């Protein structure tokens, strides 16, 4: 009120608060703030009246100018101090001085404004300060005090809280609570575990965890990890890791529709700093704490570096974009750094992880885990993981958390200073309590419950994307090939690799013994493992330079390796050497010893163009072996340069547990004098870029063959039961139950179909009684001579089943099963114990052998293998089915069956091919250290099935011949109805067979010489017939049947016919004829001799050459081009004594079979009426 006029301001609103500078200062238990350059805009309305006639109203605006005259100060102080902490917040001081300017929006009273400006300005100043300070006091005593009390409950130990009677509202926490909690958890899940434990992975049996624990805990250990980190940090305890250049670690945007703006935030990690990287005191990596529990422990803080300090420097870019047009409106960049120091931090974690055993065993690719990590990982879980114990222990805070913003703006600097002062105040009050508070909160039920709830929401059991879905997404979004190495190996990683290498070399001698005491055994091969007890690296300071994976900026896809090793001198008379001490357990062999490898001195410099197939890498199944992971993703590995100069060769030694040191390479040269010069010449031929490329190709092929198939087999690929042999022909594993099950079903179905055909033939025949017009199956099933229908039905089914079994067996052997394989083993010479059990290096199917003959250059053997085995076998079965199921050629049925019987013998020629091949290829190579390397060719399931099918087919043919014999004559040589010339011929033939078989069995018939590089290790050898016993048990048994038992049956038939000369009845003659026919059918002297002389001597070299080239085609090519030697060749020649015996036995058998079997086929038939007067012959026919 001025000059009698009263002015009233209404609806006064202040907004647009701004200030220019903020000064903060830490008090004893509080914080003071001084704000300079305050700017405020206020608006409202007014009305006035006075002097009886003056009244009116209008709008009013006030402005506080952001200048030096506008300031405010406030002090927030903690009070009610108890147990060293304040429990209440009060605004101790609150004042302001504002430079207010008033503007009346009215033309009527504009002249009166000068009367009201000063009092109204003072009024606004007083009211703003009064209301703001009152509101601040309410906030301090209410909300801030409540927050402070909650903070105190978190920070103070439980016993202190109980003193202040806070235990009821805030439950006590500590080690007691979470130590009791696992018992309750176990009780809740005990019943479920008993029901489902068999379905989950037992972590105590997981070898991967054992290996991980040994490598990190025992082998590397805290000191080893500290040392490696110091080398990487260039002998400093501080490591600076640069962030990804030009790549934001956080990219986010926020729409503000009210302002019409889009705020985009990008955060870049400039670098991360770790001070005290070498302060690892103790750690235990992820390990099993129970069948379903995993644990992890780590602690930092050593005497030299008790604290672990972490720091980050970030660059924050904030851009304001127009929401409609997307145009940049404004932007600001802020550099922010964080820093925190922890004193002796330690962490222990225990959790339950239930992984479904069935899902765990399913193969998954790297692409599946990268693209669908959450789904694939959660699909393994039977239930979400549950955190049981989280125990943190921090001795203290070495340096409190600080926040600093580097900005050009003075205002931002003052705000950052205020935040730092706030943190300083917090540290001043609560720093002693902070370590215990962190430990209690991390171990509290509430925190664990929160973590488990988040984990459950995040890792609910889900579905993993399929490999095909992952491949499709990868092919659509990821380039296939990558070969730009400078950005990877030319960055800071290059420096770390080189520093670690240099630090390791400078150490000179490294001895590692204690970690090996707990090292799990290393599985080298099936039934072979190594356990190390110690390792010493000595004299490595002679390694002058060691650089690996060096990129070349001029060739982005090039990586190089450079090694320089100084030679021994009089002052330093040593070379770099690796010593390993341990034990080997392989098969029946076990022994202790020490292995030493002395490196050569000289220089090696090599470069290679390397391109990685990203699609193959991401499509690789997990977990791969290390060699598979290294070789399978390489799309290109071409050595562009290979230079070496070795002034002194290295040395390899082996010292048994008891005895002097031995030098295997020198001993090898003594055992095989031709081997070392040839191998040295071969190694020299490989020592260039072309040779190294060939060598790499061989190693890669050998490695990948084991990645996709059986670990101990080469060229065996495929999934499940389906596999591929060395030449790419597919087959099914012999242990496949489904294969044998379906084979039995098909055999039974065919047998039933044959019975149906027999019944159909009976119905079509009507009243026909002549056996010539009936099929043999119909005649056996319901022919005119059948008296016992039940026995006839069983006999018919058995013959039908046998014929069906022969047909199915032939297809199994040729199309579905592996036929033969080559194996390598290592045997201790004295004890005969296997050091390395037999390992399959080559697998062949029937058509694989067929292809090998062609690849080796023998088209003759190629086609003959197919004709003599598969075609002849199937054709013989077809002819037998014609006679068994149809009445066709009924009058010539015996000749038809004889032809079928002859063809059924042809597949037995496989015995000669496989047996002689095994005899030629099987060898024993004397090796150093009293060892013998055994090379062997073995018959597989397909070969065995083929042999047994051939035997069964012959048996079926013989049975059918006897079934059709009721209309045939039983006279001839068995009853003495032959000339004396033929009798003498049979006697001569019998003697020739006996003598020939003995010569073949006990005298050499085959001379084998190995040529090429392998010939320097394998000595020439002569083989006898009895040596076939070393190839395969079933094969030798069948050969014994063919060479001994079968001819003996024919000789026995001849002897009995002469003993009973003129006194043999028709029944006796029939028995002798059957005996002779069975013997002639199963004797393969003719097939063995003809195959040996006509095909084997040529085909074995082509087969062995093809096999060697399958194993190592690139090396064989280098050998032929550089040293004019093949890898492996076989020169087989006849050995006279045994070959003469073989030919003699074959001639004798041919004469005997011609008289006993062939000649009777062309004798005229006699009907039943022309038989003798008695009923014996009629009864014989009916039987």
């Amino acid at each position: 009120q001025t000059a009698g006029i009263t002015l009233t301001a209404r609806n006064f609103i202040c907004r647009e608060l701004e200030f220019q500078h903020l000064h903060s200062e830490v008090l004893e238990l509080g914080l003071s703030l001084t704000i300079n350059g305050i700017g405020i805009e206020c608006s409202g309305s007014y009305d006035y009246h006075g002097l009886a006639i003056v009244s009116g109203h209008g709008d009013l605006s006030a402005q506080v100018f952001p200048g030096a005259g506008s300031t405010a100060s406030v002090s927030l102080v903690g009070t009610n101090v108890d147990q060293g902490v304040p429990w209440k917040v009060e605004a101790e001081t609150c004042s302001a001085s504002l430079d207010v300017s008033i503007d009346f929006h009215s033309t009527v009273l504009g002249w009166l404004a000068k009367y009201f400006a000063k009092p109204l300005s003072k009024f606004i100043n007083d009211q703003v300060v009064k209301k703001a300070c009152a509101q601040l006091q309410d906030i301090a005593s209410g909300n801030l005090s409540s927050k402070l009390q909650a903070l105190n409950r978190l920070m103070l130990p439980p016993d202190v809280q109980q003193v202040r009677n806070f235990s009821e509202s805030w439950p006590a926490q500590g080690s007691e609570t979470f130590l009791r909690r696992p018992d309750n958890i176990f009780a809740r899940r005990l019943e479920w575990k008993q029901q489902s434990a068999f379905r989950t992975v037992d972590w105590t049996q997981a070898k991967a965890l054992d290996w991980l624990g040994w490598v990190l805990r025992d082998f590397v250990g805290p000191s080893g990890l500290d040392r490696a980190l110091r080398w990487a940090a260039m002998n400093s305890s501080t490591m600076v890791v640069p962030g990804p250049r030009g790549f934001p670690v956080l990219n986010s945007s926020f729409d503000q529709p009210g302002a019409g703006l889009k705020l985009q935030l990008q955060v870049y990690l400039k670098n991360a700093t770790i001070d005290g990287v070498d302060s690892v005191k103790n750690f235990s990596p992820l390990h099993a704490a129970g069948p379903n529990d995993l644990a992890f422990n780590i602690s930092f803080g050593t005497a030299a570096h008790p604290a672990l300090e972490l720091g980050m420097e970030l660059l924050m870019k904030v851009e304001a974009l127009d929401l409609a047009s997307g145009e940049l409106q404004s932007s600001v960049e802020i550099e922010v750094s964080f820093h925190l120091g922890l004193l002796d931090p330690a962490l222990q974690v225990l959790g339950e992880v239930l992984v479904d055993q069935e899902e765990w065993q399913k193969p998954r690719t790297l692409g599946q885990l990268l693209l669908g990590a959450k789904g694939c990982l959660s699909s393994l879980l039977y239930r979400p993981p549950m955190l049981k114990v989280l125990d943190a222990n921090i001795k203290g805070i070495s340096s409190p958390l600080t926040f600093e913003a580097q900005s050009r703006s003075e205002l931002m600097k003052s705000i950052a200073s205020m935040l730092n002062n706030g943190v300083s105040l917090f540290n001043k009050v609560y720093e002693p309590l902070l370590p215990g508070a962190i430990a209690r909160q991390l171990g509290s039920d509430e925190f664990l419950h929160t973590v488990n709830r988040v984990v459950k929401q995040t890792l609910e059991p889900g579905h993993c994307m399929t490999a095909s879905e992952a491949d499709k997404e990868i092919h659509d979004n990821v380039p296939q090939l990558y070969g730009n190495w400078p950005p990877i190996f030319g960055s800071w990683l290059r420096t770390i690799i080189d520093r670690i290498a240099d630090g390791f070399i400078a150490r000179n001698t490294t001895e590692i013994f204690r970690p090996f005491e707990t090292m799990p055994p290393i599985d080298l091969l099936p039934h072979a493992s190594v356990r190390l007890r110690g390792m010493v690296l000595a004299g490595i300071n002679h390694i002058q330079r060691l650089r690996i994976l060096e990129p070349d900026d001029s060739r982005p896809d090039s990586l190089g390796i450079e090694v320089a090793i100084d030679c021994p001198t009089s002052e330093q008379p040593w070379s770099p050497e690796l010593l390993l001490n341990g034990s080997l357990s392989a098969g029946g062999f076990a022994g202790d010893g020490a292995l030493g490898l002395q490196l050569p001195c000289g220089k090696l410099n090599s470069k290679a163009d390397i391109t990685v197939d990203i699609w193959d890498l991401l499509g690789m199944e997990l977990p791969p072996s290390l060699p598979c992971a290294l070789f399978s993703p390489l799309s290109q590995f071409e050595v562009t340069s290979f230079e070496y100069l070795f002034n002194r060769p290295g040395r390899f030694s082996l010292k048994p547990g008891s005895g002097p040191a031995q030098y295997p390479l020198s001993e090898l040269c003594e055992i095989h004098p031709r081997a070392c010069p040839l191998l040295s010449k071969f190694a020299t031929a490989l020592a260039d870029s072309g040779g190294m490329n060939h060598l790499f190709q061989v190693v890669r092929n050998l490695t990948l063959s084991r990645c996709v198939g059986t670990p101990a087999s080469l060229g065996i690929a495929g999934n499940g039961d389906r596999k591929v042999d060395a030449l790419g022909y597919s087959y099914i594993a012999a242990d496949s139950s489904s294969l044998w099950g379906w084979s039995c079903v098909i055999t039974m179905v065919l047998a039933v179909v044959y019975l149906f055909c027999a019944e159909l033939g009976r119905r079509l025949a009507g009243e026909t009684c002549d056996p010539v017009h009936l099929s043999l199956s119909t005649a056996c099933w319901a022919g005119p001579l059948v008296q016992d229908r039940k026995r006839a039905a069983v006999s018919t089914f058995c013959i039908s089943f046998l014929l069906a079994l022969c047909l199915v067996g032939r297809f199994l052997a040729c199309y579905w099963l592996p036929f033969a394989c080559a194996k390598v083993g290592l045997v201790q010479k004295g004890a005969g114990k296997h050091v390395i059990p037999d390992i399959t290096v080559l697998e062949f199917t029937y058509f694989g052998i067929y292809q090998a003959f062609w690849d080796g250059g023998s088209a003759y053997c190629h086609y003959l293998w197919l004709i003599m085995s598969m075609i002849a076998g199937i054709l013989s079965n077809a002819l037998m089915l014609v006679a068994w199921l149809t009445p066709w050629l009924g009058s010539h049925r015996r000749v038809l069956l004889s032809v079928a019987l002859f063809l059924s013998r042809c597949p037995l020629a496989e015995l000669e091919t496989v047996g002689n091949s095994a005899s030629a290829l099987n060898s024993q190579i004397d090796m150093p250290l009293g060892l013998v390397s055994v090379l062997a060719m073995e018959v597989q399931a397909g070969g065995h099935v083929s042999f047994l099918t051939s035997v069964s087919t012959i048996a079926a043919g013989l049975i059918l011949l006897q079934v059709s014999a009721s209309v045939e004559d039983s006279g001839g040589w068995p009853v003495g109805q032959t000339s004396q010339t033929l009798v003498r011929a049979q006697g001569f033939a019998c003697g020739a067979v006996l003598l020939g078989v003995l010569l073949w069995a006990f005298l050499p018939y085959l001379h084998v010489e190995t040529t090429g590089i392998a010939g320097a290790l394998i000595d020439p050898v002569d083989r006898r017939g009895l040596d076939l016993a070393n190839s395969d048990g079933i094969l030798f048994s069948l050969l014994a049947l063919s060479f001994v038992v079968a001819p003996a049956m024919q000789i026995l038939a001849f002897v009995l016919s002469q003993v009973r000369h003129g006194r043999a009845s028709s029944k006796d003659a029939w028995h002798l004829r059957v005996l002779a026919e069975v013997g002639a059918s199963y004797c393969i002297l003719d097939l063995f001799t003809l195959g040996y002389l006509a095909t084997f001597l040529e085909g074995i070299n082509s087969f062995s050459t093809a096999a060697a080239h399958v194993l190592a085609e690139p090396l064989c090519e280098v050998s032929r081009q550089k040293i004019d030697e093949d890898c492996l060749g076989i020169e087989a020649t006849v050995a006279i004594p045994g070959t003469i015996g073989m030919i003699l036995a074959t001639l004798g058998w041919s004469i005997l079979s011609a008289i006993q079997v062939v000649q009777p086929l062309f004798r005229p038939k006699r009907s039943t009426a022309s038989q003798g007067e008695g009923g014996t012959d009629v009864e014989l026919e009916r039987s």
Side-chain angles (χ1 to χ4, degrees):
Q1 183 174 5
T2 301
I5 299 175
T6 302
L7 186 142
T8 304
R10 292 185 176 89
N11 301 326
F12 208 67
I13 300 175
C14 296
R15 59 185 184 277
E16 300 294 336
L17 174 66
E18 61 176 296
F19 55 90
Q20 296 177 345
H21 186 266
L22 176 65
H23 176 73
S24 61
E25 184 177 349
V26 178
L27 304 177
E28 181 65 23
L29 284 178
L31 191 67
S32 69
L33 302 176
T34 300
I35 305 173
N36 298 320
I38 299 175
I40 306 175
E41 291 186 2
C42 301
S43 62
S45 61
Y46 68 92
D47 59 61
Y48 61 91
H49 59 86
L51 301 178
I53 59 172
V54 178
S55 65
H57 61 85
D59 295 329
L60 173 67
S61 63
Q63 183 176 8
V64 177
F65 292 100
S70 298
T71 62
S73 62
V74 62
S75 296
L76 297 175
V77 179
T79 60
N80 291 4
V81 177
D82 188 11
Q83 301 297 330
V85 297
W87 292 86
K88 187 177 180 180
V89 180
E90 295 182 358
E92 189 174 73
T93 61
C94 181
S95 62
S97 175
L98 305 178
D99 184 7
V100 182
S101 173
I102 303 297
D103 185 11
F104 293 92
H105 300 283
S106 172
T107 57
V108 177
L109 289 181
W111 57 275
L112 293 176
K114 59 181 179 179
Y115 294 107
F116 291 98
K118 287 185 178 181
L120 190 56
S121 296
K122 184 177 183 304
F123 174 78
I124 292 175
N125 181 84
D126 294 341
Q127 290 298 315
V128 168
V129 172
K130 180 180 178 181
K131 291 183 177 294
C133 290
Q135 188 174 7
L136 179 61
Q137 184 64 46
D138 292 339
I139 293 174
S141 60
N143 192 22
L144 287 182
S145 295
S146 176
K147 298 287 185 184
L148 180 62
Q149 293 173 16
L151 177 62
N152 290 339
R153 295 188 185 101
L154 294 176
M155 303 301 295
L156 290 173
D159 53 347
V160 176
Q161 295 183 39
Q162 292 173 3
V163 173
R164 291 192 56 87
N165 198 25
F166 281 119
S167 57
E168 295 181 2
S169 61
W170 194 267
Q173 298 132 8
S175 59
E176 301 84 359
T177 57
F178 63 78
L179 287 178
R180 290 194 300 267
R181 185 169 53 261
D183 297 332
N184 298 330
I185 295 172
F186 291 146
R188 290 196 303 267
R189 296 198 173 185
L190 179 60
E191 180 181 357
W192 175 82
K193 283 187 177 182
Q194 291 175 346
Q195 297 176 355
S196 63
F198 70 95
R199 298 185 57 190
T200 58
V201 174
D202 186 351
W203 296 118
T204 60
Q205 304 299 321
K207 290 187 176 181
L209 286 179
D210 293 340
W211 271 102
L212 179 65
W214 175 78
V215 170
L216 296 180
R217 180 185 62 249
D218 298 322
F219 185 79
V220 177
S223 60
L225 184 60
D226 288 345
R227 190 181 305 115
L229 292 174
R230 276 198 305 271
W231 291 342
M234 205 172 181
N235 292 324
S236 172
S237 62
T238 302
M239 177 182 290
V240 179
V241 181
R245 189 176 303 172
F247 182 78
V249 296
L250 175 64
N251 194 345
S252 181
S253 61
F254 309 92
D255 292 340
Q256 300 290 326
L261 295 176
K262 177 180 180 181
L263 300 180
Q264 185 166 336
L265 172 66
Q266 289 182 323
V267 180
Y268 296 87
L269 176 63
K270 296 180 65 177
N271 59 67
T273 304
I274 306 174
D275 189 11
V277 292
D278 54 349
S279 65
V280 178
K281 181 167 58 178
N282 188 19
F283 76 101
S284 178
L286 198 65
H287 60 278
N292 297 320
D293 295 336
L294 295 176
F296 170 80
N297 307 328
I298 188 169
S299 62
F300 294 85
T302 62
H305 301 284
L308 180 69
E309 300 190 4
L310 310 174
M312 287 190 301
E313 291 187 8
L314 303 175
L315 174 62
M316 304 174 62
K317 290 184 177 181
V318 183
E319 296 179 344
L321 307 176
D322 186 89
L323 194 59
S325 63
E327 295 181 357
L328 180 65
Q329 302 297 313
S330 62
S331 65
V332 62
E333 291 187 1
I334 305 173
E335 293 185 3
V336 178
S337 64
F338 296 90
H339 189 271
L340 175 66
L342 305 176
L343 191 63
D344 292 343
L347 183 68
Q348 297 181 8
V349 181
L350 174 66
E352 182 186 67
V353 182
L354 299 170
V355 173
D356 190 288
Q357 180 73 35
E358 183 179 352
E359 288 291 331
W360 177 264
Q361 294 174 347
K362 290 181 180 179
R364 286 176 172 82
T365 65
L366 180 60
Q368 287 176 269
L369 293 184
L370 289 180
L371 297 179
K374 180 180 177 181
C376 289
L377 292 177
S378 62
S379 68
L380 299 175
L381 301 173
Y382 190 83
R383 286 189 177 183
M386 183 181 68
L387 188 63
K388 292 182 177 180
V389 176
L390 183 61
D391 188 7
N393 184 17
I394 303 174
K395 188 176 182 180
I397 303 297
S398 61
S399 57
L401 176 67
T402 59
F403 166 83
E404 183 177 355
Q406 292 83 26
S407 175
R408 298 176 182 176
S409 169
E410 291 296 328
L411 179 60
M412 291 299 299
K413 291 181 180 180
S414 62
I415 293 176
S417 177
M418 181 195 69
L419 293 175
N420 271 332
N421 285 332
V423 171
S424 299
L425 178 60
F426 173 86
N427 294 332
K428 183 177 181 180
V429 177
Y430 294 105
E431 182 176 346
L433 303 173
L434 185 58
I438 294 176
R440 286 191 301 276
Q441 295 310 309
L442 290 180
S444 66
D445 288 333
E446 290 74 16
F447 182 79
L448 292 180
H449 177 72
T450 302
V451 172
N452 289 330
R453 184 176 65 250
V454 173
V455 171
K456 182 178 180 180
Q457 294 173 352
T458 307
L459 291 179
E460 279 287 349
H463 172 71
C464 182
M465 67 189 311
T466 64
S468 58
E469 292 172 345
D471 289 343
K472 184 179 184 303
E473 189 168 345
I474 291 169
H475 293 178
D476 293 340
N477 300 285
V478 179
Q480 182 176 5
L481 303 178
Y482 182 85
N484 185 20
W485 303 117
I488 298 178
F489 295 110
S491 61
W492 63 274
L493 182 61
R494 166 86 271 136
T495 305
I496 291 180
I497 294 174
D498 292 345
R499 288 175 182 173
I500 292 177
D502 293 341
F504 178 72
I505 292 171
R507 187 175 174 83
N508 190 26
T509 300
T510 299
E511 297 181 355
I512 305 173
F513 288 98
R514 188 188 61 81
F516 288 105
E517 296 175 359
T518 57
M519 172 184 169
I522 304 172
D523 295 329
L524 297 178
L525 297 166
H527 313 294
S529 62
V530 169
R531 184 181 292 276
L532 296 178
R533 286 192 293 267
M535 181 175 68
V536 176
L537 288 165
I540 56 177
N541 63 347
H542 271 214
I543 301 177
Q544 183 182 8
R545 182 174 176 82
L546 175 61
R547 291 293 180 264
I548 59 175
L549 301 176
E550 282 196 310
D552 186 349
D553 293 333
S554 62
R555 294 176 65 105
D557 60 346
S558 178
L559 288 174
I561 180 173
E562 183 179 356
V563 181
I565 303 177
D566 293 336
C567 291
T569 61
S570 58
E571 292 81 11
Q572 296 180 337
W574 63 77
S575 295
E577 187 172 13
L578 169 65
L579 299 174
L580 294 174
N581 182 277
S583 61
L584 171 67
S585 176
F589 172 84
D592 298 336
L595 182 147
L597 178 62
Q598 191 178 82
L599 300 181
C601 62
K603 294 182 179 180
L604 171 66
N605 195 340
S606 179
K607 290 184 178 181
D609 291 341
I610 301 175
T611 303
V612 174
D613 192 319
I614 304 296
W615 293 359
D616 281 352
L617 177 64
L618 297 179
M620 182 169 52
E621 288 188 0
L622 300 176
S625 64
L626 180 59
C628 296
L630 290 176
F631 285 105
S632 58
L634 294 179
S635 172
Q636 178 195 20
F637 188 96
E638 182 179 354
V639 179
T640 56
S641 66
F642 186 84
E643 301 175 358
Y644 76 98
L645 178 61
F646 291 135
N647 301 320
R648 178 176 174 177
R651 197 172 192 181
F652 175 70
S653 64
L654 182 63
K655 186 181 184 303
S658 59
Q662 302 179 39
Y663 300 93
L665 296 179
S666 301
E667 189 176 346
L668 179 66
C669 295
E670 295 174 0
I671 299 174
H672 303 284
R674 292 178 49 234
C676 282
L678 193 59
L679 292 176
S680 177
K681 186 178 179 182
F682 182 67
T684 303
L686 286 176
D688 58 18
S689 58
M692 295 307 298
N693 284 326
H694 286 92
L695 178 61
F696 170 80
Q697 193 63 34
V698 170
V699 175
R700 183 177 187 270
N701 291 342
L702 287 173
T703 302
L704 295 186
S705 66
R706 286 162 172 79
C707 294
V708 295
T710 307
S713 176
L714 169 67
I716 304 173
N719 295 321
D721 294 332
R722 195 79 176 182
K723 299 182 181 300
V724 178
D725 76 348
L727 291 176
Y729 290 92
S730 62
Y731 67 91
I732 296 179
D735 58 358
S736 171
S737 58
S738 59
L739 174 67
W740 298 109
W742 279 108
S743 300
C744 292
V745 171
I746 294 172
T747 301
M748 189 64 67
V749 170
L750 287 176
V752 173
V753 170
Y754 294 167
L755 287 180
F756 173 78
C757 293
E759 175 63 20
L760 181 63
R762 183 189 68 81
R763 297 188 179 188
L764 294 176
E767 300 298 327
T768 302
C769 295
D770 188 357
V772 174
H773 297 94
L774 298 175
S775 68
L776 289 180
S777 61
T778 302
C780 288
W781 178 258
L785 299 180
V786 172
Q787 296 179 352
D788 189 342
R789 293 295 300 271
K790 184 176 181 181
R791 181 178 297 178
V794 172
S795 300
T796 307
F797 175 78
C798 291
I799 297 174
S800 298
F801 185 82
L802 182 61
L803 289 171
L805 184 65
C806 294
L807 184 62
V808 173
R810 181 61 55 194
F811 279 95
L812 275 177
C814 294
Y815 286 96
W816 299 111
L817 291 171
F819 205 91
C821 69
K823 292 187 174 183
V824 177
L826 197 63
V827 180
Q828 192 179 14
K829 187 182 297 183
K833 298 179 180 178
H834 276 81
V835 178
I836 298 179
D838 292 340
I839 301 173
T840 301
V841 294
L842 282 175
E843 191 88 53
F844 287 104
T845 59
Y846 174 85
F847 283 100
I849 298 176
Y850 167 78
Q851 183 66 38
F853 282 125
W854 179 268
D855 293 343
S858 177
Y860 176 69
C861 297
H862 171 77
Y863 290 112
L864 199 64
W865 172 260
L866 185 67
I867 294 171
M868 290 291 290
S869 182
M870 188 182 76
I871 294 178
I874 294 176
L875 185 58
S876 68
N877 199 278
L879 293 177
M880 291 180 190
L881 289 177
V882 169
W884 179 246
L885 300 177
T886 71
W888 299 344
L889 302 175
S891 58
H892 304 284
R893 186 172 289 149
R894 188 170 177 83
V895 176
L896 181 67
L897 290 174
S898 298
V899 173
L901 190 60
F902 172 78
L903 291 174
S904 67
R905 295 176 65 249
C906 293
L908 286 177
E910 295 172 350
L911 293 174
E912 179 274 327
T913 302
V914 177
N916 282 332
S917 298
S919 185
L921 293 174
N922 291 359
S923 58
Q924 293 186 351
I925 305 173
D926 289 334
M927 303 296 289
L929 308 176
L931 301 175
V932 176
S933 177
V934 179
L935 307 178
M937 180 177 177
E938 291 187 0
V939 183
Q940 297 291 83
H944 293 149
V945 170
S946 180
F947 301 156
L948 297 178
T949 298
S950 300
V951 172
S952 301
T953 305
I954 294 174
L958 290 171
I959 292 173
L960 294 181
L961 272 175
Q962 302 313 313
V963 169
S964 65
S966 59
V967 295
E968 304 296 339
D969 183 31
S970 296
W973 64 270
V975 294
Q977 297 177 359
T978 185
S979 64
Q980 289 297 316
T981 302
L982 293 181
V983 172
R984 296 189 189 97
Q986 289 185 78
F988 167 78
C990 291
V993 170
L994 290 175
L995 179 61
V997 170
L998 290 174
L999 291 175
W1000 170 80
F1002 294 98
L1003 295 178
Y1005 75 97
L1006 175 64
H1007 179 75
V1008 181
E1009 288 190 10
T1010 305
T1011 61
I1013 296 178
L1017 299 173
I1018 303 175
D1019 298 328
V1021 66
D1022 290 326
R1023 298 297 188 191
R1024 305 170 303 157
L1026 289 178
D1027 292 333
L1028 292 171
N1030 300 324
S1031 57
D1032 182 82
I1034 295 179
L1035 183 145
F1036 183 73
S1037 299
L1038 293 176
L1039 284 176
L1041 171 68
S1042 300
F1043 275 59
V1044 179
V1045 179
M1049 295 172 67
Q1050 291 181 266
I1051 295 173
L1052 180 62
F1054 168 71
V1055 171
L1056 291 177
S1057 69
Q1058 295 305 307
V1059 170
R1060 302 175 63 87
H1061 181 68
R1063 294 182 290 110
S1065 65
S1066 297
K1067 185 175 182 180
D1068 294 335
W1070 182 77
H1071 287 154
L1072 294 178
R1073 186 184 301 281
V1074 170
L1075 186 64
E1077 287 179 351
V1078 172
S1081 300
Y1082 281 108
C1083 182
I1084 61 167
L1085 278 169
D1086 56 335
L1087 296 175
F1088 193 94
T1089 303
L1090 290 175
Y1092 168 68
L1093 296 176
T1095 64
F1096 173 75
L1097 298 179
E1098 173 198 358
I1100 184 59
N1101 185 57
S1102 61
F1103 179 79
S1104 62
T1105 301
H1109 285 212
V1110 169
L1111 273 174
E1113 171 61 30
L1115 292 183
C1116 293
E1117 182 179 346
V1118 172
S1119 178
R1120 287 194 304 268
Q1121 292 177 356
K1122 298 295 183 67
I1123 63 175
D1124 197 25
E1125 288 278 357
D1126 208 338
C1127 293
L1128 172 67
I1130 298 291
E1131 290 186 0
T1133 56
V1134 297
I1136 301 301
T1139 304
I1140 292 177
M1142 189 189 308
I1143 296 174
L1144 183 62
T1146 302
L1147 290 175
W1149 174 85
S1150 300
I1151 295 172
L1152 204 58
S1153 298
I1155 297 173
Q1156 294 180 343
V1157 179
V1158 180
Q1159 184 259 347
L1161 292 175
F1162 300 98
R1163 297 185 71 231
K1165 300 176 185 178
R1166 291 190 298 159
S1167 64
T1168 305
S1170 63
Q1171 299 290 333
E1173 296 178 359
T1176 305
D1177 295 322
V1178 176
E1179 293 176 0
L1180 174 64
E1181 291 167 5
R1182 289 178 178 175
S1183 66

